[in-house]
Amino acid sequence: MTDPLFSPFCLGPLTLANRIVCLPMYLAYPDPDHEVNSLMLDYYSEMADSGAGMVVVENVPVEPCGLGNPRTLLISEDRFIPGLARLAKAIKARGVPAVLQLHHAGRHAKRADRIAPSAVETWGVTPKVMDQADIDRVVAAFAAGARRAKEAGFDAVELHGGMGYLLTQFLSARTNLRHDGYGGELANRMRFPLEVFAAVRAAVGDGFPVGYRFLADEYVPGGLTLDETRPFALELARAGATY
């Protein structure tokens, strides 16, 4: 009997050679210009040669104020598409699907202009509370980033909804202290990440895979637990998440 771990696996329209995935580990390899460089190409080419069934490229912020580190790729403008296309091509040349993780660090951004759902102090800095204009801009930035990733030749995109970053900051009552339609009860706290997902899905079309890196339990007082993330997972599935 063949071990399922090493058997071909269908992920939406993608066929993976096995169920092993190169996860999006942050490397700090890009130069301060946020462009793909030879070090990035060498690393991800080696990962694609490793035998993994799929390679997910580390977090790529959709706008500059979402940068978690100055040495990070960006996908906030069309000028980044050619470099990202080189990266996608290097991975796919090995016969492996290439996935790009779209990201916004929110209150964890290493920026003076960091934004967040609420004024929760982080590393001694209180972020700007996002108003409706900020929310609309970030939703549009995720959608534009997904379009650019598809145009660059990636086979799928993944939304970074883990590790306490912006999507999770809205979802968690620990970091979302809002009293408007984006805060309070779980249905409201789910609204922003679901709006981001819907905008991304619309930008790339139904046939293009969209995944979601998921945080099931924060394991901190007042944080997310399975009682809240189970229904959120069901909402993502209903919205058409590939994984």
Side-chain angles (χ1 to χ4, degrees), residues 1 11 18 24 34 56 62 66 68 77 91 95 104 116 120 124 130 141 148 154 162 218 230 233:
M1 181 177 177
L11 190 64
N18 53 60
H34 311 296
V56 185
V62 297
E77 299 177 50
I91 296 168
H104 197 299
V120 177
M130 294 170 66
R148 293 180 183 114
F154 283 90
E218 286 189 288
R230 281 194 189 99

PDB file of all heavy atoms in Angstrom, residues 1 11 18 24 34 56 62 66 68 77 91 95 104 116 120 124 130 141 148 154 162 218 230 233:
ATOM      1  N   MET A   1       0.847  -1.194   0.000  1.00  0.00           N
ATOM      2  CA  MET A   1       0.000   0.000   0.000  1.00  0.00           C
ATOM      3  C   MET A   1       0.885   1.248   0.000  1.00  0.00           C
ATOM      4  O   MET A   1       1.844   1.354   0.760  1.00  0.00           O
ATOM      5  CB  MET A   1      -0.899  -0.001   1.238  1.00  0.00           C
ATOM      6  CG  MET A   1      -1.831   1.198   1.313  1.00  0.00           C
ATOM      7  SD  MET A   1      -2.940   1.100   2.753  1.00  0.00           S
ATOM      8  CE  MET A   1      -3.795   2.657   2.601  1.00  0.00           C
ATOM      9  N   LEU A  11      -5.308  19.673  -4.827  1.00  0.00           N
ATOM     10  CA  LEU A  11      -5.632  20.825  -3.996  1.00  0.00           C
ATOM     11  C   LEU A  11      -6.342  21.826  -4.902  1.00  0.00           C
ATOM     12  O   LEU A  11      -5.691  22.607  -5.594  1.00  0.00           O
ATOM     13  CB  LEU A  11      -4.365  21.428  -3.398  1.00  0.00           C
ATOM     14  CG  LEU A  11      -4.536  22.493  -2.322  1.00  0.00           C
ATOM     15  CD1 LEU A  11      -5.199  21.925  -1.083  1.00  0.00           C
ATOM     16  CD2 LEU A  11      -3.196  23.107  -1.954  1.00  0.00           C
ATOM     17  N   ASN A  18       2.882  15.142  -3.767  1.00  0.00           N
ATOM     18  CA  ASN A  18       2.755  14.547  -2.440  1.00  0.00           C
ATOM     19  C   ASN A  18       2.147  15.593  -1.508  1.00  0.00           C
ATOM     20  O   ASN A  18       1.806  16.700  -1.937  1.00  0.00           O
ATOM     21  CB  ASN A  18       4.127  14.079  -1.929  1.00  0.00           C
ATOM     22  CG  ASN A  18       5.161  15.188  -1.982  1.00  0.00           C
ATOM     23  OD1 ASN A  18       5.012  16.237  -1.349  1.00  0.00           O
ATOM     24  ND2 ASN A  18       6.221  14.985  -2.772  1.00  0.00           N
ATOM     25  N   PRO A  24       6.016  28.905   4.441  1.00  0.00           N
ATOM     26  CA  PRO A  24       6.548  30.261   4.228  1.00  0.00           C
ATOM     27  C   PRO A  24       7.334  30.787   5.423  1.00  0.00           C
ATOM     28  O   PRO A  24       6.840  31.600   6.209  1.00  0.00           O
ATOM     29  CB  PRO A  24       5.285  31.091   3.968  1.00  0.00           C
ATOM     30  CG  PRO A  24       4.221  30.379   4.743  1.00  0.00           C
ATOM     31  CD  PRO A  24       4.554  28.923   4.643  1.00  0.00           C
ATOM     32  N   HIS A  34      13.110  45.811  -1.261  1.00  0.00           N
ATOM     33  CA  HIS A  34      11.953  44.906  -1.235  1.00  0.00           C
ATOM     34  C   HIS A  34      11.778  44.113  -2.534  1.00  0.00           C
ATOM     35  O   HIS A  34      10.691  43.624  -2.824  1.00  0.00           O
ATOM     36  CB  HIS A  34      10.659  45.671  -0.920  1.00  0.00           C
ATOM     37  CG  HIS A  34      10.768  46.583   0.260  1.00  0.00           C
ATOM     38  ND1 HIS A  34      10.993  46.118   1.542  1.00  0.00           N
ATOM     39  CD2 HIS A  34      10.720  47.937   0.341  1.00  0.00           C
ATOM     40  CE1 HIS A  34      11.052  47.149   2.367  1.00  0.00           C
ATOM     41  NE2 HIS A  34      10.901  48.257   1.672  1.00  0.00           N
ATOM     42  N   VAL A  56       5.451  27.447  -0.701  1.00  0.00           N
ATOM     43  CA  VAL A  56       4.772  28.692  -0.354  1.00  0.00           C
ATOM     44  C   VAL A  56       5.833  29.737  -0.019  1.00  0.00           C
ATOM     45  O   VAL A  56       6.637  29.542   0.890  1.00  0.00           O
ATOM     46  CB  VAL A  56       3.818  28.510   0.835  1.00  0.00           C
ATOM     47  CG1 VAL A  56       3.029  29.812   1.077  1.00  0.00           C
ATOM     48  CG2 VAL A  56       2.855  27.352   0.595  1.00  0.00           C
ATOM     49  N   VAL A  62       1.092  43.655   1.520  1.00  0.00           N
ATOM     50  CA  VAL A  62       0.326  44.250   0.428  1.00  0.00           C
ATOM     51  C   VAL A  62       0.420  45.770   0.418  1.00  0.00           C
ATOM     52  O   VAL A  62      -0.011  46.408  -0.538  1.00  0.00           O
ATOM     53  CB  VAL A  62      -1.145  43.806   0.483  1.00  0.00           C
ATOM     54  CG1 VAL A  62      -1.243  42.298   0.280  1.00  0.00           C
ATOM     55  CG2 VAL A  62      -1.807  44.216   1.804  1.00  0.00           C
ATOM     56  N   GLY A  66       2.399  47.727   6.282  1.00  0.00           N
ATOM     57  CA  GLY A  66       2.222  46.379   6.814  1.00  0.00           C
ATOM     58  C   GLY A  66       3.506  45.590   6.909  1.00  0.00           C
ATOM     59  O   GLY A  66       3.487  44.393   7.209  1.00  0.00           O
ATOM     60  N   GLY A  68       6.528  43.876   8.371  1.00  0.00           N
ATOM     61  CA  GLY A  68       6.973  43.415   9.672  1.00  0.00           C
ATOM     62  C   GLY A  68       8.473  43.515   9.853  1.00  0.00           C
ATOM     63  O   GLY A  68       8.979  43.374  10.963  1.00  0.00           O
ATOM     64  N   GLU A  77       2.900  47.489  -5.477  1.00  0.00           N
ATOM     65  CA  GLU A  77       2.884  48.226  -6.741  1.00  0.00           C
ATOM     66  C   GLU A  77       3.187  47.268  -7.886  1.00  0.00           C
ATOM     67  O   GLU A  77       3.843  46.236  -7.702  1.00  0.00           O
ATOM     68  CB  GLU A  77       3.924  49.350  -6.725  1.00  0.00           C
ATOM     69  CG  GLU A  77       3.729  50.396  -5.650  1.00  0.00           C
ATOM     70  CD  GLU A  77       4.856  51.424  -5.660  1.00  0.00           C
ATOM     71  OE1 GLU A  77       5.164  51.961  -6.751  1.00  0.00           O
ATOM     72  OE2 GLU A  77       5.447  51.668  -4.595  1.00  0.00           O
ATOM     73  N   ILE A  91      10.581  28.546  -9.219  1.00  0.00           N
ATOM     74  CA  ILE A  91       9.948  27.439  -8.493  1.00  0.00           C
ATOM     75  C   ILE A  91       9.256  26.486  -9.465  1.00  0.00           C
ATOM     76  O   ILE A  91       9.444  25.265  -9.422  1.00  0.00           O
ATOM     77  CB  ILE A  91       8.936  27.991  -7.464  1.00  0.00           C
ATOM     78  CG1 ILE A  91       9.665  28.811  -6.394  1.00  0.00           C
ATOM     79  CG2 ILE A  91       8.145  26.852  -6.818  1.00  0.00           C
ATOM     80  CD1 ILE A  91       8.738  29.625  -5.505  1.00  0.00           C
ATOM     81  N   GLY A  95       8.790  21.954 -11.655  1.00  0.00           N
ATOM     82  CA  GLY A  95       7.566  21.172 -11.709  1.00  0.00           C
ATOM     83  C   GLY A  95       6.751  21.216 -10.437  1.00  0.00           C
ATOM     84  O   GLY A  95       5.934  20.315 -10.191  1.00  0.00           O
ATOM     85  N   HIS A 104      -0.159  41.347   6.005  1.00  0.00           N
ATOM     86  CA  HIS A 104      -0.142  42.696   6.602  1.00  0.00           C
ATOM     87  C   HIS A 104       0.094  42.501   8.093  1.00  0.00           C
ATOM     88  O   HIS A 104      -0.651  41.793   8.764  1.00  0.00           O
ATOM     89  CB  HIS A 104      -1.467  43.419   6.363  1.00  0.00           C
ATOM     90  CG  HIS A 104      -1.384  44.902   6.567  1.00  0.00           C
ATOM     91  ND1 HIS A 104      -1.036  45.464   7.780  1.00  0.00           N
ATOM     92  CD2 HIS A 104      -1.607  45.938   5.719  1.00  0.00           C
ATOM     93  CE1 HIS A 104      -1.054  46.789   7.668  1.00  0.00           C
ATOM     94  NE2 HIS A 104      -1.385  47.093   6.424  1.00  0.00           N
ATOM     95  N   ALA A 116      -3.932  49.294  13.141  1.00  0.00           N
ATOM     96  CA  ALA A 116      -4.507  48.127  13.805  1.00  0.00           C
ATOM     97  C   ALA A 116      -5.994  48.375  14.026  1.00  0.00           C
ATOM     98  O   ALA A 116      -6.468  49.514  13.942  1.00  0.00           O
ATOM     99  CB  ALA A 116      -3.802  47.863  15.135  1.00  0.00           C
ATOM    100  N   VAL A 120      -4.039  49.012  20.752  1.00  0.00           N
ATOM    101  CA  VAL A 120      -3.388  48.078  21.672  1.00  0.00           C
ATOM    102  C   VAL A 120      -1.882  48.280  21.551  1.00  0.00           C
ATOM    103  O   VAL A 120      -1.298  48.035  20.491  1.00  0.00           O
ATOM    104  CB  VAL A 120      -3.770  46.628  21.360  1.00  0.00           C
ATOM    105  CG1 VAL A 120      -3.022  45.666  22.288  1.00  0.00           C
ATOM    106  CG2 VAL A 120      -5.277  46.435  21.488  1.00  0.00           C
ATOM    107  N   GLY A 124       5.860  49.120  22.941  1.00  0.00           N
ATOM    108  CA  GLY A 124       5.951  50.504  23.371  1.00  0.00           C
ATOM    109  C   GLY A 124       5.336  51.519  22.437  1.00  0.00           C
ATOM    110  O   GLY A 124       5.439  52.732  22.674  1.00  0.00           O
ATOM    111  N   MET A 130      -7.657  51.922  12.856  1.00  0.00           N
ATOM    112  CA  MET A 130      -8.114  51.976  11.475  1.00  0.00           C
ATOM    113  C   MET A 130      -9.536  52.518  11.385  1.00  0.00           C
ATOM    114  O   MET A 130     -10.443  52.014  12.067  1.00  0.00           O
ATOM    115  CB  MET A 130      -8.045  50.580  10.846  1.00  0.00           C
ATOM    116  CG  MET A 130      -6.630  50.053  10.690  1.00  0.00           C
ATOM    117  SD  MET A 130      -6.557  48.296  10.210  1.00  0.00           S
ATOM    118  CE  MET A 130      -7.260  48.364   8.557  1.00  0.00           C
ATOM    119  N   ALA A 141      -5.965  46.658  -1.112  1.00  0.00           N
ATOM    120  CA  ALA A 141      -4.554  46.314  -1.264  1.00  0.00           C
ATOM    121  C   ALA A 141      -4.353  44.804  -1.323  1.00  0.00           C
ATOM    122  O   ALA A 141      -3.524  44.304  -2.105  1.00  0.00           O
ATOM    123  CB  ALA A 141      -3.739  46.921  -0.122  1.00  0.00           C
ATOM    124  N   ARG A 148      -1.695  40.888  -8.653  1.00  0.00           N
ATOM    125  CA  ARG A 148      -0.296  40.949  -9.077  1.00  0.00           C
ATOM    126  C   ARG A 148       0.381  39.581  -8.964  1.00  0.00           C
ATOM    127  O   ARG A 148       1.195  39.211  -9.816  1.00  0.00           O
ATOM    128  CB  ARG A 148       0.454  41.987  -8.234  1.00  0.00           C
ATOM    129  CG  ARG A 148      -0.017  43.413  -8.499  1.00  0.00           C
ATOM    130  CD  ARG A 148       0.734  44.437  -7.668  1.00  0.00           C
ATOM    131  NE  ARG A 148       0.191  45.765  -7.903  1.00  0.00           N
ATOM    132  CZ  ARG A 148      -0.449  46.501  -7.001  1.00  0.00           C
ATOM    133  NH1 ARG A 148      -0.608  46.037  -5.759  1.00  0.00           N
ATOM    134  NH2 ARG A 148      -0.928  47.678  -7.330  1.00  0.00           N
ATOM    135  N   PHE A 154       2.233  33.053 -10.234  1.00  0.00           N
ATOM    136  CA  PHE A 154       2.034  32.126  -9.118  1.00  0.00           C
ATOM    137  C   PHE A 154       0.771  31.299  -9.346  1.00  0.00           C
ATOM    138  O   PHE A 154      -0.185  31.755  -9.976  1.00  0.00           O
ATOM    139  CB  PHE A 154       1.963  32.887  -7.795  1.00  0.00           C
ATOM    140  CG  PHE A 154       3.309  33.337  -7.298  1.00  0.00           C
ATOM    141  CD1 PHE A 154       3.824  34.572  -7.649  1.00  0.00           C
ATOM    142  CD2 PHE A 154       4.086  32.501  -6.513  1.00  0.00           C
ATOM    143  CE1 PHE A 154       5.073  34.985  -7.235  1.00  0.00           C
ATOM    144  CE2 PHE A 154       5.342  32.893  -6.072  1.00  0.00           C
ATOM    145  CZ  PHE A 154       5.842  34.140  -6.433  1.00  0.00           C
ATOM    146  N   GLY A 162      -2.480  34.055  10.427  1.00  0.00           N
ATOM    147  CA  GLY A 162      -1.933  33.434  11.627  1.00  0.00           C
ATOM    148  C   GLY A 162      -1.002  34.361  12.384  1.00  0.00           C
ATOM    149  O   GLY A 162      -0.760  35.501  12.001  1.00  0.00           O
ATOM    150  N   GLU A 218      -5.044  31.028  20.299  1.00  0.00           N
ATOM    151  CA  GLU A 218      -3.947  31.927  20.668  1.00  0.00           C
ATOM    152  C   GLU A 218      -3.235  31.488  21.946  1.00  0.00           C
ATOM    153  O   GLU A 218      -2.118  31.929  22.222  1.00  0.00           O
ATOM    154  CB  GLU A 218      -4.473  33.351  20.840  1.00  0.00           C
ATOM    155  CG  GLU A 218      -4.807  34.037  19.535  1.00  0.00           C
ATOM    156  CD  GLU A 218      -5.114  35.507  19.717  1.00  0.00           C
ATOM    157  OE1 GLU A 218      -6.195  35.829  20.258  1.00  0.00           O
ATOM    158  OE2 GLU A 218      -4.277  36.338  19.311  1.00  0.00           O
ATOM    159  N   ARG A 230     -13.599  27.634  15.151  1.00  0.00           N
ATOM    160  CA  ARG A 230     -14.360  26.636  14.393  1.00  0.00           C
ATOM    161  C   ARG A 230     -15.396  27.298  13.485  1.00  0.00           C
ATOM    162  O   ARG A 230     -15.435  27.015  12.286  1.00  0.00           O
ATOM    163  CB  ARG A 230     -15.026  25.644  15.348  1.00  0.00           C
ATOM    164  CG  ARG A 230     -14.114  24.565  15.905  1.00  0.00           C
ATOM    165  CD  ARG A 230     -14.946  23.449  16.546  1.00  0.00           C
ATOM    166  NE  ARG A 230     -14.126  22.511  17.274  1.00  0.00           N
ATOM    167  CZ  ARG A 230     -13.949  22.519  18.591  1.00  0.00           C
ATOM    168  NH1 ARG A 230     -14.526  23.464  19.334  1.00  0.00           N
ATOM    169  NH2 ARG A 230     -13.199  21.606  19.182  1.00  0.00           N
ATOM    170  N   ALA A 233     -13.698  29.049  10.615  1.00  0.00           N
ATOM    171  CA  ALA A 233     -13.234  28.115   9.589  1.00  0.00           C
ATOM    172  C   ALA A 233     -14.383  27.726   8.662  1.00  0.00           C
ATOM    173  O   ALA A 233     -14.203  27.635   7.434  1.00  0.00           O
ATOM    174  CB  ALA A 233     -12.634  26.873  10.243  1.00  0.00           C
TER     175      ALA A 233
END
